[in-house]
Amino acid sequence: MASLRLLEGQLPFDGWEEPTASLARSRRFKRSGTFVDNMALPVHRWFRYSAGFSAEWAKSLITQHSPAVVLDPFVGSGTVSVVSDELGIPSYGVEAHPFVRELAKAKLNWWADPQKFLKGIDDVLSRARSSRSVDFGVVPPLLQKCYTPEALQQLARIRESYMKVSSELSPEIASLIFLAITAMLRASSHVGTAQWQYILPNKRKAKVMEPLAALEAQAMLMASDMKALQSTRKQTKAHILDGDARLLEGIEPGSIDLVITSPPYPNNYDYADATRLEMTFWGEVDRWSDLHEKVRRFLIRSSSQHASIDSLQLDELLENSHVSPIRAELSQVCEKLACIRETKGGKKAYHTMVAAYFVDLARTFRALRRVGRPGCLACFVVGDSAPYGIHVPAERWLGELAISAGFSSWKFEKLRDRNTKWKNRKHRVPLHEGRLWLHG
């Protein structure tokens, strides 16, 4: 097999420039709450994480304010970190999801030698292609649903080959190969993926790549992106911290000029489940029930599964001093949810989820005031919600909690309407998404 090589003239773009279509969209930034456009941008497109936001918008904001240091306390797969690197601005990102955090850290190795990366990929592919049948062991049910036996065998050989060569590679190259393998898993699966990355085993895709070919294509994409960014930058200035946005440990007090982030919304999205396929492939979880111990317990409490498993008590949450500015309204909403759930078959714990969510975000605002410099600007991409049809005015409550935490002012800039197409919706409460601006 011919070795993979990155040749001059094979870059998808000339240097580090966005495609013309993306530049046109960036003039208005009406899609700042979506990750979709990032899939046309180098490095950002290495792994699709739907719970992200527009890199172009983040770039414009950083350029406009020229901060000394940028922070994203919910950094996810690293959008703000990569944009800050592109602009040569030091940054911090904090992420509590262990698996997603490793993917973000891998992206920050864009400065590594592209040829060494391709050589490592070539070694993995060569071993995988030449090896005999590999025993995958007891195949988890999710993988059985998502891959054909032939694809599973290729994946088993790829994983075994990576395990054999990774110890011989530098940590940077090993992490990039780990990311490349992770990123090709959905391209080589025949099942569908919902908008928010949940797996849909009953949905079939028309276009599927075999794993070996998918890995080779992903590697070439990544190597060309590495070379593109290296044409303007030589080293990362970003730090991804294993941490909690409610604490922000490891960040010097008064050191942050600009905060750009999108926290979880109080809408019951289960971030732990978003990467279950990838975590199952790497043996980090075997079944859905493993997700709480491995991931969910570290996260902001924004899903009813989290609230139920932790057996949260509504009275204790409402008595928390951090939510005192909104306690009367919060109590009213949560008590309505507590009554309605008794009439529902699933009896989802929306009442304690909503209360815990605002306790957690109130703690986050206090942590941000500690690490932010006087006059620090923070921008949160946020959205409201309506569990069981009861409206939760998230941006207003968050603004009031931010003032209580020490921010001087807040304003909300609506970007788009949500939940306006009623077909198959569980409620008909119009929702919206926008930017919550906080001034220190």
Side-chain angles (χ1 to χ4, degrees):
M1 178 190 120
S3 297
L4 296 173
R5 289 188 302 123
L6 182 63
L7 302 177
E8 297 292 341
Q10 288 187 335
L11 300 182
F13 311 120
D14 292 330
W16 184 251
E17 296 293 335
E18 298 90 340
T20 302
S22 293
L23 275 175
R25 287 192 298 267
S26 72
R27 294 189 181 108
R28 294 188 302 160
F29 300 116
K30 293 299 183 183
R31 294 161 62 92
S32 63
T34 178
F35 188 85
V36 173
D37 292 342
N38 295 356
M39 294 310 293
L41 300 177
V43 183
H44 299 284
R45 60 184 174 176
W46 290 0
F47 183 80
R48 178 168 183 165
Y49 190 51
S50 294
F53 51 81
S54 166
E56 292 176 344
W57 165 71
K59 179 180 178 181
S60 73
L61 189 58
I62 295 173
T63 301
Q64 178 184 354
H65 292 278
S66 300
V69 185
V70 181
L71 167 65
D72 185 346
F74 301 96
V75 78
S77 63
T79 297
V80 168
S81 300
V82 174
V83 167
S84 297
D85 270 359
E86 177 189 352
L87 297 173
I89 303 293
S91 68
Y92 286 93
V94 176
E95 180 52 51
H97 191 311
F99 189 78
V100 174
R101 183 174 61 244
E102 291 309 307
L103 299 180
K105 287 182 176 179
K107 281 185 178 179
L108 297 184
N109 290 319
W110 54 262
W111 53 267
D113 187 336
Q115 297 297 351
K116 289 183 179 179
F117 165 64
L118 289 180
K119 184 177 183 302
I121 288 285
D122 188 58
D123 195 5
V124 170
L125 288 171
S126 297
R127 288 171 179 261
R129 286 188 168 112
S130 62
S131 65
R132 297 180 179 179
S133 178
V134 173
D135 183 7
F136 209 115
V138 178
V139 181
L142 180 62
L143 297 186
Q144 294 182 39
K145 292 178 181 179
C146 293
Y147 297 99
T148 64
E150 294 77 16
L152 275 174
Q153 181 55 218
Q154 285 194 24
L155 289 172
R157 298 204 305 267
I158 289 171
R159 190 175 68 176
E160 182 182 77
S161 298
Y162 171 77
M163 295 301 183
K164 288 181 178 179
V165 306
S166 60
S167 61
E168 304 169 3
L169 303 170
S170 69
E172 297 79 19
I173 298 299
S175 74
L176 286 166
I177 297 176
F178 171 83
L179 174 56
I181 295 172
T182 303
M184 65 82 183
L185 290 175
R186 300 207 181 200
S188 56
S189 171
H190 61 272
V191 306
T193 301
Q195 178 182 4
W196 286 98
Q197 288 185 280
Y198 295 144
I199 292 296
L200 302 175
N202 295 325
K203 183 178 179 181
R204 293 293 184 268
K205 294 189 303 192
K207 184 178 181 180
V208 183
M209 299 181 70
E210 66 167 10
L212 291 166
L215 178 56
E216 183 171 349
Q218 178 68 26
M220 291 302 296
L221 175 77
M222 290 173 61
S224 65
D225 286 356
M226 291 163 66
K227 186 175 181 181
L229 184 49
Q230 289 169 17
S231 68
T232 59
R233 304 293 173 191
K234 299 304 179 186
Q235 189 62 270
T236 181
K237 293 186 177 182
H239 304 274
I240 301 291
L241 303 181
D242 172 2
D244 188 330
R246 296 163 290 192
L247 301 174
L248 296 181
E249 296 175 327
I251 300 176
E252 190 72 22
S255 62
I256 303 300
D257 299 291
L258 177 64
V259 177
I260 306 175
T261 195
S262 181
Y265 298 177
N267 64 356
N268 203 37
Y269 176 59
D270 187 4
Y271 287 86
D273 201 13
T275 54
R276 180 158 56 110
L277 174 66
E278 292 81 4
M279 294 179 69
T280 301
F281 169 79
W282 289 110
E284 298 194 15
V285 296
D286 288 326
R287 54 186 64 85
W288 185 88
S289 59
D290 295 336
L291 291 173
H292 190 76
E293 182 64 23
K294 293 296 182 71
V295 178
R296 197 182 295 115
R297 66 187 180 95
F298 302 114
L299 308 181
I300 294 292
R301 295 171 291 184
S302 62
S303 71
S304 59
Q305 297 94 329
H306 196 161
S308 295
I309 295 173
D310 281 355
S311 300
L312 301 178
Q313 299 300 310
L314 182 59
D315 290 344
E316 293 180 9
L317 292 166
L318 294 175
E319 289 171 3
N320 190 294
S321 62
H322 294 332
V323 295
S324 58
I326 63 170
R327 182 176 290 130
E329 285 188 278
L330 179 63
S331 298
Q332 187 178 33
V333 166
C334 292
E335 287 165 4
K336 284 183 180 178
L337 290 171
C339 291
I340 292 175
R341 74 185 293 262
E342 297 302 325
T343 69
K344 303 292 184 178
K347 293 188 177 182
K348 293 184 178 181
Y350 290 137
H351 60 313
T352 51
M353 178 203 84
V354 169
Y357 173 84
F358 287 100
V359 169
D360 287 349
L361 267 294
R363 292 179 62 195
T364 300
F365 291 141
R366 281 167 165 73
L368 286 173
R369 284 307 306 134
R370 177 180 59 81
V371 302
R373 292 177 179 170
C376 173
L377 176 66
C379 186
F380 281 61
V381 178
V382 299
D384 55 356
S385 66
Y388 284 147
I390 304 299
H391 185 238
V392 177
E395 74 278 357
R396 180 166 59 81
W397 287 359
L398 291 175
E400 293 176 15
L401 292 175
I403 296 297
S404 178
F407 285 89
S408 62
S409 65
W410 70 272
K411 67 177 181 179
F412 180 69
E413 176 190 2
K414 177 182 170 182
L415 294 174
R416 68 182 183 98
D417 292 315
R418 299 161 49 232
N419 199 54
T420 55
K421 298 178 181 178
W422 307 123
K423 185 178 180 181
N424 298 325
R425 298 290 184 181
K426 294 183 178 180
H427 66 77
R428 296 197 173 191
V429 179
L431 302 175
H432 55 253
E433 181 180 68
R435 297 189 279 246
L436 178 66
W437 298 90
L438 308 175
H439 292 269

